[in-house]
């Protein structure tokens, strides 16, 4: 095996879309996680004996309700005990590449003959924001049964659902209220995720999310979210999320009003 192979195929169901009217990021991760398990099985590995610790995802073309898609996967690196699986998600109707992700898995391996060359987007180094007053509490929650994956711990898609909910809390602080978004027909559309998972909380454990602005441009903004366990203040996952102020009718980035840019810049976290 030394080529990409199919690991997932489905359609975008209406309930898998969000307020930006496209396939929501948590469901991308649900499908990528399933694709990762299929890839591991094809490589003769036991998915239950592994732990994914890192995801680098680029969203290149949106999918809307009713669109069909499929995922092609292959091992792209196997060094120092880490296996990296590359996934490419395509629109099944026209073959366009819609998203890519690199999944770093601990406890898995692949022979050198199975590796393929990865030609996806390179990861850019993003400065890490330091804890401080710019951070806000953006979610207060508890791990419930539907959050669990095959390991019996909180799945990556459940983490992304918390981070997605946190976005609205951050935008409100910058004046981008739900009323503003509805009236102006705009939304926040993600084009990059850099996610690190330190550990996965168990059923019944409390989880909080804290978020901040890390970068602000004329039409783009980066947020950083940290999922924490309040019982010991451990950071269990961290997400760097880059996106744009999206015109929902034109489906293109649009300029953020100056007053909102200035308000957001006052909330920027300092970097380490």
């Amino acid at each position: 095996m030394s080529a990409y192979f199919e690991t997932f195929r489905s359609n975008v169901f209406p309930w898998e879309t969000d307020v930006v009217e496209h396939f929501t990021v948590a469901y991308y991760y649900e499908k990528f996680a399933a694709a990762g398990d299929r890839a591991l099985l094809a490589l003769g590995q036991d998915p239950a004996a592994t732990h994914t610790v890192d995801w680098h995802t680029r969203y290149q073309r949106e999918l809307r309700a009713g669109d069909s898609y499929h995922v092609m996967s292959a091992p792209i690196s196997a060094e120092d005990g880490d296996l990296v699986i590359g996934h490419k998600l395509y629109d099944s109707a026209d073959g366009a590449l819609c998203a890519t992700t690199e999944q770093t898995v601990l406890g898995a391996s692949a022979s050198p003959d199975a590796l393929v060359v990865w030609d996806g987007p390179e990861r850019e180094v993003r400065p890490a924001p330091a804890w401080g007053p710019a951070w806000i509490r953006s979610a207060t929650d508890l791990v419930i049964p539907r959050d669990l994956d095959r390991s019996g711990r909180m799945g990556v898609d459940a983490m992304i659902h918390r981070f997605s909910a946190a976005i609205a809390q951050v935008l409100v602080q910058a004046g981008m209220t739900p009323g503003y978004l509805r009236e102006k027909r705009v939304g926040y559309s993600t084009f990059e995720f850099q996610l690190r998972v330190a550990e996965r909380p168990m059923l019944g454990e409390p989880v909080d999310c804290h978020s901040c602005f890390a970068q602000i441009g004329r039409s783009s903004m980066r947020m950083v979210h940290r999922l924490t366990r309040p019982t010991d203040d451990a950071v269990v996952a961290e997400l760097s999320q880059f996106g744009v102020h999206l015109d929902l009718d034109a489906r293109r980035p649009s300029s953020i009003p100056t007053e909102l840019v200035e308000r957001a810049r006052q909330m920027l976290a300092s970097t380490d």
Side-chain angles (χ1 to χ4, degrees):
M1 182 183 298
S2 59
Y4 288 93
F5 50 94
E6 185 175 307
T7 51
F8 198 86
R9 183 177 291 267
S10 190
N11 307 306
V12 179
F13 297 103
W15 58 86
E16 294 178 327
T17 60
D18 56 22
V19 295
V20 189
E21 302 168 6
H22 62 198
F23 198 24
T24 192
V25 288
Y27 288 112
Y28 276 92
Y29 270 77
E30 178 183 281
K31 316 315 179 190
F32 280 139
D37 284 358
R38 283 293 297 259
L40 288 168
L41 288 170
L43 293 166
Q45 307 288 303
D46 178 7
T50 67
H51 174 39
T52 297
V53 295
D54 189 271
W55 299 85
H56 173 224
T57 305
R58 290 292 297 270
Y59 304 94
Q60 297 171 237
R61 195 179 86 170
E62 65 181 356
L63 291 166
R64 311 289 295 276
D67 285 342
S68 56
Y69 63 91
H70 61 278
V71 179
M72 304 292 289
S73 308
I76 59 176
S77 175
E79 298 179 358
D80 302 323
D82 296 348
L83 175 66
V84 183
I85 304 172
H87 304 283
K88 297 182 178 183
L89 187 150
Y90 295 92
D91 186 321
S92 299
D94 61 10
L97 181 63
C98 298
T100 63
T101 195
E102 298 167 59
Q103 175 188 7
T104 302
V105 185
L106 300 184
S109 61
S111 70
D113 292 342
L115 302 182
V116 303
V117 175
W118 178 246
D119 58 357
E122 291 187 12
R123 182 193 296 258
E124 295 187 40
V125 177
R126 308 291 186 196
W131 283 114
W135 290 79
I136 66 166
R137 185 191 297 270
S138 51
T140 305
D141 212 333
L142 191 76
V143 180
I144 59 177
R146 68 166 177 259
D147 294 329
L148 306 181
D149 64 10
R150 50 162 173 71
S151 72
R153 290 177 175 266
M154 190 178 197
V156 65
D157 54 316
M159 293 181 179
I160 301 298
H161 276 302
R162 267 55 171 202
F163 293 139
S164 294
I167 296 169
Q169 297 286 335
V170 181
L171 293 179
V172 163
Q173 299 300 313
M176 301 180 201
T177 64
Y180 162 82
L181 298 175
R182 286 191 289 266
E183 178 185 350
K184 302 298 183 183
R185 287 284 298 157
V186 295
Y188 178 73
S189 180
T190 300
F191 63 81
E192 180 194 80
F193 269 1
Q194 293 191 25
L195 173 66
R196 294 186 181 276
V197 179
E199 57 180 294
R200 291 169 294 171
M202 296 185 295
L203 179 65
E205 284 195 293
V207 287
D208 292 342
C209 187
H210 301 268
S211 307
C212 71
F213 284 111
Q215 291 174 252
I216 301 292
R218 285 302 306 149
S219 63
S220 64
M221 61 191 84
R222 182 168 74 102
M223 303 177 195
V224 174
H225 310 281
R226 288 174 179 159
L227 192 68
T228 66
R229 185 173 49 225
T231 53
D232 60 2
D233 294 327
V235 177
V236 299
E238 177 174 298
L239 174 68
S240 169
Q241 177 183 27
F242 226 135
V244 296
H245 185 265
L246 183 73
D247 182 317
L248 295 182
D249 296 320
R251 311 307 297 181
R252 295 183 60 83
S254 59
S255 296
I256 307 170
T258 302
E259 63 273 19
L260 299 185
V261 170
E262 293 306 314
R263 185 166 172 177
R265 283 179 176 162
Q266 293 173 11
M267 300 163 54
L268 282 172
S270 60
T271 56
D272 289 330

